[in-house]
Amino acid sequence: MKKIDFLSFNNHLIELYSRNFIENEDESFSLGYILMELDSFIVFMSISEIGTLESIQLRSKKFITNIVSNTEYTKMYDFFVSYSKKMNAFDGFSLEKSVALTENTTPKEILNTALKRNKTISIITSIDESILTGKIVLLDINRLVLSLLDYENIEIDHKQSVRLETILCIDVVSVENYLYDKYLVMKNAN
């Protein structure tokens, strides 16, 4: 497999393809921007189907199979994103500001921030590609432990350990998880 030069795509809207572990599917697809390269991860800004900021993610480089830019599809979304920004609708929840990225940022620092701030995150692993959503309660060198969100009762439930080497993607901040956190605060205040 050809090595991908991730930084050559900075500031370009891209189609990012990742290895898919679901039977009979070759790849999964995301649209967005590579913000930076960090060790074995990239920081990726995912764009929604309406051209707004959907999430900021840590994506494992080892599972990325291809990156494509400057297609008719990305050109259309360049317009969507530009128009959303012009209308002040691109980042309606100020998610971008909540992830402080510096030249020396590490994946652990990003996850530690989510742990300290008690923020809801979502993780997709290479084990079964199910989405685990919850709050980090433990983070060490090889794994993290999530207290999972129970969607039936909309409350934090049992814990699950995830080995860092199996992580495909972590939504460090997302519109959906931002709204979950707001709802949980409101629900617990009542």
mmCIF file of all heavy atoms in Angstrom, residues 22 27 37 42 67 166:
data_model
loop_
_atom_site.group_PDB
_atom_site.id
_atom_site.type_symbol
_atom_site.label_atom_id
_atom_site.label_comp_id
_atom_site.label_asym_id
_atom_site.label_seq_id
_atom_site.Cartn_x
_atom_site.Cartn_y
_atom_site.Cartn_z
ATOM 1 N N ILE A 22 -16.839 -4.245 8.215
ATOM 2 C CA ILE A 22 -18.156 -4.872 8.063
ATOM 3 C C ILE A 22 -18.109 -5.754 6.823
ATOM 4 O O ILE A 22 -17.621 -5.349 5.774
ATOM 5 C CB ILE A 22 -19.267 -3.800 7.931
ATOM 6 C CG1 ILE A 22 -19.327 -2.955 9.208
ATOM 7 C CG2 ILE A 22 -20.612 -4.454 7.651
ATOM 8 C CD1 ILE A 22 -20.272 -1.782 9.110
ATOM 9 N N GLU A 27 -14.938 -0.043 1.906
ATOM 10 C CA GLU A 27 -14.422 1.140 2.576
ATOM 11 C C GLU A 27 -15.574 1.976 3.124
ATOM 12 O O GLU A 27 -16.691 1.908 2.642
ATOM 13 C CB GLU A 27 -13.632 2.018 1.591
ATOM 14 C CG GLU A 27 -12.398 1.371 1.037
ATOM 15 C CD GLU A 27 -11.719 2.245 0.004
ATOM 16 O OE1 GLU A 27 -12.385 2.698 -0.947
ATOM 17 O OE2 GLU A 27 -10.513 2.466 0.155
ATOM 18 N N GLU A 37 -1.471 16.291 11.801
ATOM 19 C CA GLU A 37 -1.025 14.915 11.942
ATOM 20 C C GLU A 37 -0.405 14.770 13.331
ATOM 21 O O GLU A 37 0.425 15.586 13.722
ATOM 22 C CB GLU A 37 0.009 14.623 10.856
ATOM 23 C CG GLU A 37 0.358 13.205 10.679
ATOM 24 C CD GLU A 37 1.257 12.955 9.468
ATOM 25 O OE1 GLU A 37 1.660 13.909 8.771
ATOM 26 O OE2 GLU A 37 1.558 11.779 9.241
ATOM 27 N N ILE A 42 -4.558 11.369 12.779
ATOM 28 C CA ILE A 42 -4.741 12.707 12.219
ATOM 29 C C ILE A 42 -5.904 13.331 12.974
ATOM 30 O O ILE A 42 -6.753 12.622 13.516
ATOM 31 C CB ILE A 42 -5.035 12.702 10.697
ATOM 32 C CG1 ILE A 42 -6.321 11.914 10.374
ATOM 33 C CG2 ILE A 42 -3.843 12.212 9.903
ATOM 34 C CD1 ILE A 42 -6.842 12.118 8.973
ATOM 35 N N ILE A 67 -7.154 9.008 0.064
ATOM 36 C CA ILE A 67 -7.638 10.377 0.192
ATOM 37 C C ILE A 67 -7.750 10.950 -1.218
ATOM 38 O O ILE A 67 -6.835 10.816 -2.025
ATOM 39 C CB ILE A 67 -6.674 11.246 1.020
ATOM 40 C CG1 ILE A 67 -6.593 10.717 2.458
ATOM 41 C CG2 ILE A 67 -7.119 12.702 1.005
ATOM 42 C CD1 ILE A 67 -5.584 11.433 3.337
ATOM 43 N N THR A 166 -7.136 -0.384 18.675
ATOM 44 C CA THR A 166 -8.292 -0.823 17.879
ATOM 45 C C THR A 166 -9.162 0.339 17.414
ATOM 46 O O THR A 166 -10.129 0.136 16.688
ATOM 47 C CB THR A 166 -9.176 -1.798 18.676
ATOM 48 O OG1 THR A 166 -9.781 -1.096 19.773
ATOM 49 C CG2 THR A 166 -8.387 -2.986 19.181
#
